[in-house]
Amino acid sequence: MKDLTQDPRVQALPETVRNKFVKKAEEAQAAILWDAIAEEYAEANEARTYLPTIKAEMTALRRAVERPQNVTLAQPKPATANKPQRVLPASRLLAANVVAHMMHKLGGNNPETNLLKLLPGDEHRIARKLAKSATVPGSTTAASWGAELVQSDVGAFYRSLKERSAVAQLAELGTNVDFGGNANITFPHRGANDDGSLKPAFVQERATIPVSSATLASTMMGKYKLGIITIATDELIRVSNILDVMEQMIQDDVAEGLDFHVLDPTSTAIPAVRPAAITVGAPNQASAGATLDNVLADIRYLRGQLSNARRPAIIMHSDHMRALEMLQVDGRFPLAAMVASGDLWGLTLIHSPFVTKGIVVGVDAAAYYHASDLPELDTSSAATVALASAQPPDPQMTATGATEDAVDDLGGSIHVSDAAGTVPATKVVSTFQTNSVAMRMVHPLTWTTMPNSVAYLTGVAWG
């Protein structure tokens, strides 16, 4: 214990109480020391009681650690990467579907199996699902063969025609309207001579604000249809490149029909049969010629007629486009760069091999409205068909007035029942008897433009 007699604080106490204080402090110090020793002894005694148990547990753990262990490492199987899916144009999906049905109708496998042959491999897995849903009339609401690809893929179908059809390119620039199950679509627009009727005026404080009224008009788009039937033999369907042939037929024939009927001024309206081409009744003039100055004069005319156009475009046959590209002046090709960029002085360049030669059309694409459904393709191996077309040679079905490429039922239609009485007689074929398949395509569509949005040139000799 500490000697308290030498503590300065104790030395400061009076001598009469110093010894008594030191004695009391030493007794308190001894008591504290005794309690600490007793507590430590008790803890030591308790630890001695548990020590054998702890030693036994440590021995058991040591034995467990030192015992040999048999360990098997199970490595999971590496995941197999799926093949990238090929994106196919909608026209090819339609072609694959109709060929699969043709092969089935001729006694082949079911359509799903035929699709696997036409679009093989895992990379076509999604394409086969889309193709399965891309056909046949009557199946557009069925769960297995049509619900997935109806209205949502009309745009995809037209995109697949862009390389062949000027109208498909124009429709992409214009406004696409959904029929939505209706036979007609009506939408309002500004009247033809109503420019500036709602133009505001500056008004002085407390003066009367003028009141104006606009003249509104409406346009009704009726649903029409392009249709064709063709017959293919068993031998043709089983050739190796039938899918390529069928896709090209769909693309070329739809593109040719669209480009002619939408753009050619001779394609006039026929009530309940077809709408008029957008050029019918539009302002026009003869082309100035084929020199650079002539071309500039022609473009100026079209540009002047479309002075208020929001998305002006110029449409021509592909040969005219190539002639502009190759137009040479003093060893230079002044229009080549603009043709390559697809823009002629602010006019978006559209061309196709099916636009009528000699006609160049200027149009405000923003004022072009196009409504359509997917082409409906159907096949039958048990059809009886009257082999009469809408074009020469005879026998020929035509609309009233002998208009080619249109058929009405006012004397133009030739049915199986009256085929023998036509001059010359119309041949009737049974696909069942000739081991053939008939394919029918019906394409519901219509189009229109707003007033003062189209002009065209005639007699164009570029190229």
Side-chain angles (χ1 to χ4, degrees):
M1 290 187 300
K2 183 179 179 181
D3 185 8
L4 297 177
T5 59
Q6 303 302 320
D7 191 301
R9 292 170 295 180
V10 175
Q11 293 292 331
L13 294 173
E15 188 175 352
T16 56
V17 296
R18 187 182 303 164
N19 291 336
K20 188 176 179 178
F21 176 82
V22 170
K23 184 178 179 180
K24 292 289 185 181
E26 288 177 347
E27 289 176 356
Q29 200 173 20
I32 293 172
L33 181 60
W34 175 258
D35 291 342
I37 293 172
E39 186 177 356
E40 291 179 2
Y41 177 79
E43 291 177 354
N45 188 54
E46 185 178 7
R48 187 180 62 179
T49 303
Y50 289 108
L51 185 60
T53 303
I54 295 173
K55 291 176 65 177
E57 291 177 352
M58 291 183 66
T59 301
L61 288 172
R62 187 180 296 110
R63 289 174 180 171
V65 171
E66 294 175 351
R67 184 185 304 123
Q69 299 292 323
N70 295 323
V71 179
T72 302
L73 295 177
Q75 184 177 2
K77 184 178 179 181
T80 301
N82 292 328
K83 290 185 177 180
Q85 296 297 298
R86 296 191 61 184
V87 179
L88 300 180
S91 59
R92 192 162 188 84
L93 300 179
L94 286 167
N97 195 305
V98 71
V99 171
H101 274 78
M102 282 180 157
M103 296 168 67
H104 171 65
K105 293 293 175 63
L106 286 173
N109 297 315
N110 60 47
E112 291 92 338
T113 302
N114 292 332
L115 278 176
L116 186 58
K117 293 179 180 179
L118 295 168
L119 302 173
D122 186 61
E123 67 272 20
H124 285 123
R125 175 170 43 85
I126 294 179
R128 288 193 297 272
K129 290 183 179 180
L130 292 175
K132 180 180 176 182
S133 67
T135 98
V136 200
S139 70
T140 54
T141 57
S144 60
W145 282 92
E148 296 90 345
L149 202 77
V150 188
Q151 291 295 340
S152 61
D153 264 57
V154 175
F157 174 71
Y158 273 86
R159 285 192 295 273
S160 70
L161 300 181
K162 282 176 57 178
E163 293 185 0
R164 307 295 290 166
S165 169
V167 172
Q169 299 170 59
L170 178 60
E172 187 172 52
L173 292 173
T175 302
N176 288 283
V177 183
D178 186 0
F179 275 120
N182 300 308
N184 300 292
I185 303 171
T186 302
F187 54 93
H189 56 83
R190 182 188 288 272
N193 299 311
D194 191 59
D195 293 342
S197 62
L198 296 181
K199 184 171 64 176
F202 284 101
V203 181
Q204 184 182 8
E205 184 177 359
R206 300 180 62 185
T208 303
I209 298 175
V211 177
S212 298
S213 62
T215 301
L216 297 179
S218 64
T219 297
M220 185 179 72
M221 299 174 67
K223 183 185 287 188
Y224 301 91
K225 63 183 179 183
L226 287 170
I228 191 65
I229 293 175
T230 187
I231 296 177
T233 64
D234 173 65
E235 292 78 12
L236 174 62
I237 293 171
R238 299 190 188 281
V239 299
S240 59
N241 66 332
I242 181 60
L243 181 55
D244 296 327
V245 172
M246 187 60 63
E247 181 185 18
Q248 184 174 353
M249 287 173 58
I250 291 174
Q251 288 182 332
D252 287 352
D253 293 350
V254 173
E256 184 173 4
L258 284 174
D259 287 4
F260 175 79
H261 288 298
V262 175
L263 300 172
D264 195 288
T266 64
S267 183
T268 54
I270 301 177
V273 178
R274 75 182 184 204
I278 63 174
T279 49
V280 173
N284 63 90
Q285 72 174 24
S287 170
T291 68
L292 179 59
D293 289 340
N294 295 149
V295 171
L296 292 175
D298 288 342
I299 298 296
R300 275 195 298 269
Y301 168 74
L302 295 178
R303 230 15 195 125
Q305 295 295 320
L306 304 175
S307 57
N308 291 326
R310 288 177 290 162
R311 286 197 293 273
I314 185 169
I315 305 173
M316 64 189 71
H317 191 280
S318 298
D319 286 351
H320 296 327
M321 180 274 298
R322 284 186 284 269
L324 294 180
E325 185 178 33
M326 300 175 66
L327 183 64
Q328 188 173 8
V329 178
D330 297 331
R332 297 178 298 105
F333 299 91
L335 304 182
M338 283 192 290
V339 172
S341 68
D343 187 292
L344 293 177
W345 295 284
L347 295 165
T348 299
L349 176 58
I350 296 174
H351 67 91
S352 104
F354 299 119
V355 177
T356 303
K357 278 190 175 182
I359 301 292
V360 171
V361 181
V363 58
D364 180 5
Y368 175 76
Y369 290 79
H370 189 97
S372 64
D373 288 335
L374 275 177
E376 299 171 350
L377 301 173
D378 201 4
T379 59
S380 175
S381 58
T384 301
V385 182
L387 301 185
S389 74
Q391 302 177 20
D394 292 331
Q396 177 184 353
M397 295 186 291
T398 60
T400 302
T403 301
E404 295 181 10
D405 298 320
V407 180
D408 62 21
D409 200 27
L410 302 176
S413 292
I414 297 175
H415 305 282
V416 172
S417 58
D418 59 6
T422 64
V423 180
T426 301
K427 184 178 180 180
V428 175
V429 171
S430 166
T431 57
F432 177 80
Q433 189 173 15
T434 58
N435 192 30
S436 304
V437 176
M439 181 192 76
R440 181 184 67 204
M441 182 184 74
V442 175
H443 184 30
L445 80 163
T446 191
W447 58 83
T448 192
T449 55
M450 295 296 96
N452 306 319
S453 60
V454 180
Y456 67 96
L457 300 167
T458 61
V460 176
W462 308 340

